[in-house]
Amino acid sequence: MIEINKIYNESCLETLSRIPDNSIDLVITSPPYNMNLRIRNGKYCSRQIVKEFSTKYENFDDNIPIEEYYKFHFKVLKELLRTSNIIFYNIQIVTGSKRAIFKIIGELSDYLKDIIIWDKGYAQPAMAQNVLNRRTELILIFDAKDAISRQFKKANFKRGTLDDLWLIKRGKKITSSHSAVFPEELVKNIIENFSDEGDLIYDPFMGTGTTAYVAKLLNRNYLGSELTSRYYEVINKRLSELKCQISFY
Ligand SMILES: C[S@@+](CC[C@H](N)C(=O)[O-])C[C@H]1O[C@@H](n2cnc3c(N)ncnc32)[C@H](O)[C@@H]1O
C-alpha cells in the first residue's frame, strides 16, 4: 500500500516495489553521484575520501564500486519506467559515475527521450591537473512508452519557447549536513512545463525535500523516498512550514 503526499524513510527500491504500474505522472530526481570513488594507478579505489571535494552526506560515504553503482541505478530506472510516465533523472558526470552513466545511456537507449543540459553558471576548479572543470549536469529524460519521439505527451510550453540548455544557479543549502540540493527554480521549470495541477510527482532520492516542497507549492501531489533519517526529518519540517505558510496566506 502506498499513500500519496507522504515521504517514506526507506530505500527507494522498497517504495517502488509497492507502487502500482503507470501510477506516477512525473519523476524528478537526483541520486548521489558516487563522488568519492577515485582512481589510483589506473584502477578504481574507494578508500580515500577527500572531504573538501566530496558531496557531504550525513551517513554514507558515496563511494560504491562502479559496477554496483551501475546495477543499482539500472534497477531503479527499470522500476521507474514500470511505474511512471516520464522521468527526469539529474546526474553529474564525475569519476565515480561516468562509466555507469554511459552504460545506462546505452542499455536504456530505447527509453531515453532527450537530454537537458543544466548549466550552473560557473564551475569549481577541477581537483587535478589536466581535468576539465565541470560546470554542467545532465538531466536524462526517460519515457517508457514513446521515447522514439522527442515530442512530450504532456507539455505546457509553446513551440519554439523552451531550450535544452538551462542556466540556473546552484541550490541553497537547507541543512549543513547536505550539500547537494536542487535549486527550486530547476524543479519549478520541470513541474510547470511537464505536468498539470493535481498530478502525482515522485522523487526516489528526496534529500532535503525540494521536489515535494515545490510540487506542493504548485498544487501537485507528491511522493518521496529518502534513506537517511536525518534528511527525512528535514523534509517533514520543511513541508510542515510550507503548510503553515499556505494556510496563513
Ligand atoms: C543528491 S541527494 C538529493 C538532493 C535533493 N534533490 C534535494 O534537493 O535536496 C541524494 C539523496 O539520496 C539519498 N539516498 C541514497 N540512497 C538512497 C536510496 N537507496 N533510497 C532513497 N534515498 C537514497 C541520500 O540520503 C541523499 O539525501
Side-chain angles (χ1 to χ4, degrees):
M1 254 289 284
I2 277 287
E3 265 179 67
I4 64 166
N5 296 317
K6 194 174 158 143
I7 310 297
Y8 288 88
N9 184 196
E10 61 188 14
S11 171
C12 56
L13 283 172
E14 268 180 63
T15 317
L16 278 159
S17 70
R18 302 193 303 278
I19 299 181
D21 294 356
N22 305 315
S23 55
I24 308 282
D25 295 297
L26 169 67
V27 170
I28 306 174
T29 200
S30 179
Y33 298 160
N34 218 19
M35 284 291 231
N36 294 322
L37 186 68
R38 297 273 180 270
I39 293 174
R40 295 275 175 277
N41 304 322
K43 291 206 170 101
Y44 286 109
C45 141
S46 304
R47 262 168 289 158
Q48 195 182 351
I49 294 171
V50 186
K51 284 282 181 212
E52 62 269 34
F53 293 120
S54 63
T55 313
K56 189 174 172 195
Y57 289 115
E58 178 87 6
N59 67 349
F60 68 99
D61 288 340
D62 205 21
N63 61 356
I64 60 176
I66 195 78
E67 192 56 22
E68 242 178 74
Y69 187 77
Y70 162 73
K71 282 187 184 147
F72 173 71
H73 286 282
F74 187 79
K75 240 192 242 171
V76 171
L77 277 161
K78 283 298 241 187
E79 276 293 85
L80 291 175
L81 286 162
R82 175 184 69 74
T83 51
S84 320
N85 291 335
I86 191 96
I87 301 155
F88 285 69
Y89 212 76
N90 162 225
I91 191 104
Q92 189 178 23
I93 297 174
V94 295
T95 303
S97 64
K98 182 178 79 117
R99 273 197 182 162
I101 296 170
F102 294 163
K103 206 162 153 183
I104 281 167
I105 289 175
E107 289 291 317
L108 294 179
S109 61
D110 285 352
Y111 305 105
L112 187 58
K113 190 178 190 71
D114 217 327
I115 299 181
I116 291 172
I117 307 291
W118 169 23
D119 175 1
K120 293 184 284 190
Y122 77 101
Q124 274 168 358
M127 57 178 293
Q129 292 294 338
N130 306 357
V131 175
L132 300 177
N133 295 339
R134 179 67 67 225
R135 174 170 153 162
T136 60
E137 301 203 8
L138 304 180
I139 302 172
L140 305 178
I141 307 171
F142 294 97
D143 178 343
K145 297 184 191 74
D146 189 31
I148 196 167
S149 162
R150 289 178 57 221
Q151 198 165 38
F152 289 89
K153 219 165 238 133
K154 196 174 274 186
N156 300 324
F157 56 92
K158 294 216 162 59
R159 185 168 78 90
T161 61
L162 191 66
D163 297 344
D164 61 351
L165 176 69
W166 293 6
L167 175 62
I168 298 174
K169 284 199 190 132
R170 283 157 203 268
K172 272 191 240 132
K173 271 193 192 177
I174 297 294
T175 160
S176 59
S177 66
H178 196 308
S179 60
V181 172
F182 266 152
E184 286 172 22
E185 190 187 341
L186 181 82
V187 177
K188 185 169 177 278
N189 266 5
I190 300 174
I191 292 181
E192 283 184 336
N193 283 302
F194 301 99
S195 76
D196 293 329
E197 289 201 3
D199 277 358
L200 177 58
I201 297 174
Y202 176 50
D203 188 339
F205 302 95
M206 189 57 96
T208 59
T210 316
T211 302
Y213 181 88
V214 179
K216 176 107 191 119
L217 266 178
L218 297 173
N219 299 319
R220 271 66 168 175
N221 294 298
Y222 62 84
L223 180 64
S225 312
E226 173 51 52
L227 193 59
T228 308
S229 306
R230 162 103 174 75
Y231 303 147
Y232 170 75
E233 282 158 23
V234 169
I235 302 167
N236 283 327
K237 184 162 176 282
R238 201 171 170 194
L239 289 171
S240 67
E241 281 166 5
L242 180 64
K243 273 177 203 149
C244 297
Q245 277 175 35
I246 288 174
S247 52
F248 185 74
Y249 285 108

